[in-house]
Amino acid sequence: MAKEIMLIGATSDVAQAMVHLIDRKTTHLWLVARNVERLEPLKTHVEITKAISVSLLESDVCEFEKNITLFEPIAPKIDEIYFFAGYLGHQEKAQTESAETLKIINTNFTGAVLILNVFAEAFAKKKSGIIIGISSVAGDRGRSSNYFYGSAKAGFSAYLDGMRQRLAKVGVHVMTVKPGFMATRMTRELDLPKLITASSEKAASVIFKAAKKKKNTVYVTTIWRFIMLVIRNIPEAIFKRISI
Amino acid sequence: MKKELISNWGNYPQIEAEVFKPDFVQEVNGLVKKEQAILARGNGRCYGDVALSKKIISTLSLNKVLAFDIESGIIRCQSGILLSDILAITVPKGFFLPVTPGTKFITLGGALASDVHGKNHHAEGCFSNHVLDFKLVTADGNTLACNRTKNAVIFWNTVGGMGRTGVITEVCFQLKKIETSYITSRNIKVKNLDEMLDLFDQSGDTTYSVAWMDCLKKGAHQGRGILMLGEHATLADLDLKKKKNPLALPKKIKLNVPLFFPGWVLNKFAVKAFNFLFYNKQRKKVNTSIIDYDKFFYPLDAILNWNRIYGKKGFTQYQFVLPKEGGKEGLKEILDTIGNAGEGSFLVVLKLFGKTEPLAKWSFPMEGYTLALDFKITLDTQDLINQLDDIVQRYKGRIYLSKDAFSRRSLSNVPTQVTSKFTSLQAERLGMI
Ligand SMILES: Cc1cc2nc3c(=O)[nH]c(=O)nc-3n(C[C@H](O)[C@H](O)[C@H](O)COP(=O)(O)OP(=O)(O)OC[C@H]3O[C@@H](n4cnc5c(N)ncnc54)[C@H](O)[C@@H]3O)c2cc1C
Ligand SMILES: NC(=O)c1ccc[n+]([C@@H]2O[C@H](COP(=O)([O-])OP(=O)(O)OC[C@H]3O[C@@H](n4cnc5c(N)ncnc54)[C@H](OP(=O)(O)O)[C@@H]3O)[C@@H](O)[C@H]2O)c1
């Protein structure tokens, strides 16, 4: 069956790795990003090596109204939408500067929700489609080191959970991805522990396979499911006093 | 920016470097503008100190195909794509690389910057002979389109320029039409150097030719070895089974050397044993077969990380070329010197280069004999290379910068008028900054 896939945040390292996994069942690929001319080489590469046609779309997640008009006419054609865009931001800056706070919330939550709403309605109407949202383990419990990002991702996870329950009844699937550490541009300057850090290729492959199997919530590496289980269960009285 | 310890294929020397890995070509301009000194690096398959610098732009993520015309066989790619990836795309469509080195794990940018040669040099020249145009980010951070008429000076300074003119970001070149992905190969067992060089002369109209030589044999057997000749097989050459899928990609068989061998493993006795086996594996004088292109062009690629057999201290490859005139005597002197030093070399490869493009003045090849030898790094390496350099100099030859870590400046062939923006450890060693 012909299939159209859309990747939002297509410049992200994980999305780039995902493109290489896309197989011939896909007939058309939509790559969405800011400064989309960066993706011209990827477009020709996919067209030549996979014989899949590609469209590039320019969109900034934070331009709310514009996105709604941009995606409304396209959404009914799409079979699978992956939402990769995200912004880690600077925790300390966000504590004092509202512009940074808003940027974190708007990218990871508000902007994401407004775009995916368009797809949810279109998919509900045609009673098919898959929505894949890349959230984060950071949303599983707020922590002092990144609670702006964490809370925005928590909101995004809750949004995806609720939407999954609603749309399951009309044959639309929603999958939540909760990556732990991934070695990507977002974390390039951080010293991440190798053992619990996934490469972007590994992450892409886990996400791609899970979407095929219509999983509900996936942790990119199993170890993170346990790490977060522990973190979530630390009593607040103790949690308050430690820093992780 | 975190630093990494990097080295090239010889694992010697090593350098702590900041490695920038742009995901998008637009980032290259900014990096070049910002940094005072930087160098482009492909897949690090050169051997010595050339692709090393304190700040590096790795092109490995700039690896996309930009255009491919399956009628004309003209392809345009970003510079960081590996030749292995290009082959996987073009062979099923009936096109092969116009020139390929002995490994397919190099980038397109590296192929141009070293102006690589292959087994068909005598017939089809260097890689640059088949390049139509390329793009280069120059010292001011701007992108320049270069071909033989537009920015021609920069075009020819970049060919074989070892990255000293800028960062090559994309290359357009002409592929070669093939009927099948197989090679008709003919191996000839040769008893000494005289016979070898005669045979090279006689095989001028064979497309591919190269010889493996036993460098430890002395006297009447000096230079014994196996001459390997090849042609792209035509459909008519294939058996029924191969005819079903004449453009099949070779099966991947991957062996790996997971760890560095201890330094003592590879000694003179090991080299002797290897050479004996290699020479005597072939019983008949001439052995003809139809093999896939991996077996013919890239036998070493079948063993990942084979460079680790030389141990942690690494090894160097000494590749030189001597003009044909007087070259035979020069080769004999070199073989004598190596024999006397007792330094074994596993892989001794001999080839006769043909005519060269006069405008490609920084390319390594010149008409004559080229020999490549591997030496494990020891305290005596510099000394041995000084002796070899003396001989090469006397016979008016030159050495290949893409392999070099020890040779002298007077034997090298590099653009003289370059900026100090793009520097390498090698350029520093040779006092060319
Ligand atoms: C097993 C083996 C067999 C080989 N056989 C041959 C052979 O038969 N013939 C032959 O000619 N060579 C041969 N080589 C050498 C190899 O082909 C060259 O060294 C080649 O340049 C390596 O390409 P690379 O992409 O790994 O580049 P690197 O090793 O990373 O770089 C090599 C040089 O190219 C420059 N460079 C790389 N990319 C760019 C770019 N985008 N823009 C500007 N400069 C750039 C670097 O600065 C450096 O000076 C062989 C090497 C190996 C390991
Ligand atoms: N890396 C990790 O350890 C980790 C862990 C958990 C979750 N995640 C999540 O995984 C997802 C993928 O991230 P990554 O790790 O692959 O990092 P990345 O390479 O930095 O990707 C982030 C992507 O988001 C895009 N983006 C940011 N703000 C945007 C905006 N306003 N409009 C449009 N696009 C915007 C970026 O586009 P530009 O190229 O234009 O900047 C980039 O493509 C993100 O949602 C991230 O939050 C990452």
Side-chain angles (χ1 to χ4, degrees):
Chain A
M1 202 188 66
K3 196 163 85 172
E4 298 205 18
I5 294 189
M6 180 180 277
L7 309 182
I8 295 183
T11 53
S12 96
D13 280 347
V14 186
Q16 299 261 309
M18 171 83 77
V19 168
H20 295 289
L21 302 176
I22 286 173
D23 49 37
R24 290 286 180 83
K25 279 185 217 123
T26 304
T27 47
H28 192 77
L29 178 64
W30 298 79
L31 300 176
V32 186
R34 322 181 261 202
N35 305 330
V36 80
E37 78 278 357
R38 289 175 294 169
L39 294 173
E40 286 288 351
L42 184 64
K43 169 180 155 75
T44 57
H45 187 82
V46 172
E47 290 180 333
I48 291 166
T49 60
K50 293 182 186 273
I52 295 172
S53 59
V54 179
S55 298
L56 301 182
L57 268 190
E58 183 134 319
S59 141
D60 184 322
V61 171
C62 298
E63 293 181 336
F64 307 142
E65 296 304 321
K66 219 167 147 186
N67 286 331
I68 294 172
T69 33
L70 176 70
F71 290 112
E72 258 173 0
I74 304 168
K77 292 190 246 183
I78 306 297
D79 300 291
E80 271 177 40
I81 168 127
Y82 289 81
F83 195 94
F84 285 101
Y87 177 60
L88 182 57
H90 304 277
Q91 167 69 24
E92 276 174 26
K93 201 169 157 196
Q95 282 161 202
T96 54
E97 293 175 28
S98 54
E100 182 70 2
T101 315
L102 280 173
K103 199 170 155 190
I104 295 174
I105 297 171
N106 286 346
T107 315
N108 296 300
F109 183 71
T110 319
V113 166
L114 288 173
I115 292 174
L116 291 186
N117 273 348
V118 174
F119 287 87
E121 290 323 297
F123 287 7
K125 205 179 238 168
K126 64 172 180 172
K127 295 195 165 45
S128 72
I130 306 180
I131 297 172
I132 296 107
I134 316 300
S135 187
S136 173
V137 295
D140 281 8
R141 187 169 194 177
R143 288 176 295 123
S144 60
S145 60
N146 66 358
Y147 60 82
F148 292 103
Y149 175 73
S151 58
K153 287 291 194 187
F156 190 45
S157 296
Y159 166 75
L160 294 168
D161 286 348
M163 195 158 65
R164 174 164 44 249
Q165 198 184 22
R166 172 191 154 208
L167 295 179
K169 284 142 196 147
V170 291
V172 175
H173 183 65
V174 179
M175 181 170 106
T176 314
V177 182
K178 292 184 176 175
F181 294 145
M182 301 187 290
T184 64
R185 233 174 326 138
M186 186 177 274
T187 54
R188 191 171 283 173
E189 294 302 318
L190 308 177
D191 232 342
L192 299 180
K194 269 215 173 79
L195 265 176
I196 52 170
T197 303
S199 67
S200 45
E201 288 80 16
K202 163 90 199 286
S205 146
V206 170
I207 296 170
F208 192 67
K209 283 185 194 145
K212 267 195 177 157
K213 289 191 198 145
K214 300 205 174 170
K215 291 267 167 83
N216 298 316
T217 298
V218 285
Y219 286 80
V220 165
T221 34
T222 342
I223 177 102
W224 276 98
R225 192 184 279 278
F226 294 104
I227 293 175
M228 293 324 291
L229 187 73
V230 172
I231 290 180
R232 270 200 313 271
N233 285 297
I234 299 172
E236 196 60 29
I238 299 172
F239 197 70
K240 263 191 334 198
R241 274 180 273 138
I242 58 176
S243 46
I244 43 170
Chain B
M1 181 91 186
K2 275 178 277 178
K3 290 198 172 162
E4 289 173 39
L5 199 59
I6 54 168
S7 58
N8 297 320
W9 192 242
N11 290 315
Y12 175 91
Q14 298 184 324
I15 185 174
E16 282 237 331
E18 283 179 56
V19 182
F20 300 93
K21 201 171 172 190
D23 288 314
F24 308 105
V25 67
Q26 289 83 353
E27 296 166 48
V28 174
N29 305 75
L31 275 169
V32 169
K33 236 176 241 163
K34 191 170 122 243
E35 300 295 336
Q36 229 170 30
I38 200 153
L39 185 74
R41 178 178 161 90
N43 207 26
R45 271 340 198 246
C46 60
Y47 282 73
D49 51 8
V50 64
L52 303 178
S53 193
K54 290 199 187 88
K55 295 199 175 177
I56 294 277
I57 295 182
S58 165
T59 62
L60 290 176
S61 297
L62 307 175
N63 60 351
K64 312 294 183 294
V65 183
L66 303 175
F68 176 25
D69 180 346
I70 54 170
E71 295 302 319
S72 64
I74 292 175
I75 191 167
R76 178 183 297 278
C77 304
Q78 288 187 306
S79 63
I81 194 169
L82 297 179
L83 299 188
S84 54
D85 292 333
I86 296 180
L87 285 169
I89 294 161
T90 64
V91 167
K93 302 271 183 249
F95 288 100
F96 202 75
L97 296 165
V99 164
T100 177
T103 172
K104 59 178 173 171
F105 300 129
I106 73 159
T107 65
L108 196 50
L112 186 64
S114 293
D115 199 13
V116 296
H117 56 268
K119 299 175 181 182
N120 56 346
H121 183 273
H122 61 285
E124 294 169 316
C126 282
F127 188 73
S128 64
N129 288 53
H130 311 275
V131 170
L132 303 174
D133 65 78
F134 59 81
K135 283 191 181 156
L136 182 76
V137 176
T138 54
D140 56 12
N142 293 326
T143 303
L144 215 57
C146 305
N147 62 31
R148 284 172 174 74
T149 49
K150 202 163 122 200
N151 298 312
V153 174
I154 301 181
F155 181 95
W156 290 114
N157 275 343
T158 302
V159 166
M162 296 299 173
R164 299 291 316 279
T165 57
V167 182
I168 302 159
T169 52
E170 67 180 61
V171 182
C172 175
F173 66 103
Q174 174 72 56
L175 294 158
K176 178 182 195 173
K177 187 113 192 97
I178 49 171
E179 263 181 44
T180 80
S181 58
Y182 295 91
I183 302 289
T184 316
S185 98
R186 203 150 53 91
N187 287 358
I188 307 174
K189 212 167 163 176
V190 181
K191 55 181 189 300
N192 58 31
L193 191 66
D194 289 329
E195 188 190 0
M196 183 73 89
L197 300 190
D198 285 346
L199 280 171
F200 262 116
D201 270 335
Q202 289 161 27
S203 21
D205 40 0
T206 307
T207 309
Y208 298 106
S209 62
V210 71
W212 161 85
M213 240 167 57
D214 181 345
C215 73
L216 291 177
K217 281 283 159 195
K218 296 183 181 168
H221 295 297
Q222 187 177 56
R224 78 168 186 184
I226 295 190
L227 175 66
M228 296 173 260
L229 305 172
E231 293 290 350
H232 288 283
T234 61
L235 254 179
D237 295 333
L238 301 189
D239 59 28
L240 278 176
K241 200 172 145 219
K242 291 195 172 98
K243 261 193 189 126
K244 278 193 192 137
N245 188 4
L247 292 166
L249 291 173
K251 281 201 196 74
K252 282 189 194 149
I253 328 163
K254 277 282 153 63
L255 301 170
N256 189 10
V257 179
L259 295 168
F260 282 101
F261 279 21
W264 50 263
V265 170
L266 213 71
N267 56 25
K268 193 165 67 180
F269 303 104
V271 174
K272 260 200 174 136
F274 172 85
N275 283 345
F276 178 83
L277 289 173
F278 197 91
Y279 188 73
N280 290 299
K281 189 179 75 176
Q282 176 167 337
R283 288 277 178 79
K284 290 182 290 189
K285 175 80 183 166
V286 181
N287 199 353
T288 307
S289 56
I290 293 200
I291 55 181
D292 66 49
Y293 68 79
D294 269 352
K295 281 209 187 72
F296 184 75
F297 290 106
Y298 316 114
L300 288 168
D301 286 348
I303 308 168
L304 290 179
N305 299 311
W306 63 262
N307 55 341
R308 290 181 179 159
I309 64 173
Y310 286 95
K312 275 211 169 101
K313 287 205 186 107
F315 70 111
T316 187
Q317 183 166 89
Y318 190 75
Q319 182 173 0
F320 63 89
V321 56
L322 301 181
K324 208 167 170 209
E325 191 72 29
K328 191 195 276 187
E329 285 65 42
L331 286 177
K332 283 186 177 159
E333 271 192 53
I334 297 260
L335 290 174
D336 286 343
T337 308
I338 294 164
N340 292 338
E343 279 279 350
S345 168
F346 256 117
L347 299 160
V348 183
V349 175
L350 175 71
K351 154 128 206 88
L352 177 60
F353 282 150
K355 295 240 176 320
T356 55
E357 161 65 65
L359 288 169
K361 43 186 192 300
W362 311 124
S363 292
F364 160 66
M366 62 163 94
E367 193 174 8
Y369 301 109
T370 182
L371 195 67
L373 310 131
D374 288 354
F375 299 116
K376 190 164 79 177
I377 306 279
T378 68
L379 291 174
D380 301 326
T381 307
Q382 181 68 59
D383 209 39
L384 174 67
I385 286 180
N386 289 345
Q387 291 178 49
L388 300 177
D389 274 358
D390 284 340
I391 304 171
V392 174
Q393 190 147 7
R394 224 169 342 100
Y395 284 89
K396 302 198 164 42
R398 61 167 82 120
I399 58 105
Y400 192 10
L401 286 174
S402 209
K403 311 280 177 82
D404 179 35
F406 293 94
S407 280
R408 62 189 65 153
R409 179 177 177 169
S410 53
L411 294 179
S412 58
N413 201 28
V414 271
T416 34
Q417 287 179 319
V418 287
T419 75
S420 53
K421 185 85 158 197
F422 305 104
T423 71
S424 66
L425 210 57
Q426 181 177 74
E428 279 168 37
R429 172 173 59 82
L430 297 174
M432 296 186 312
I433 306 289

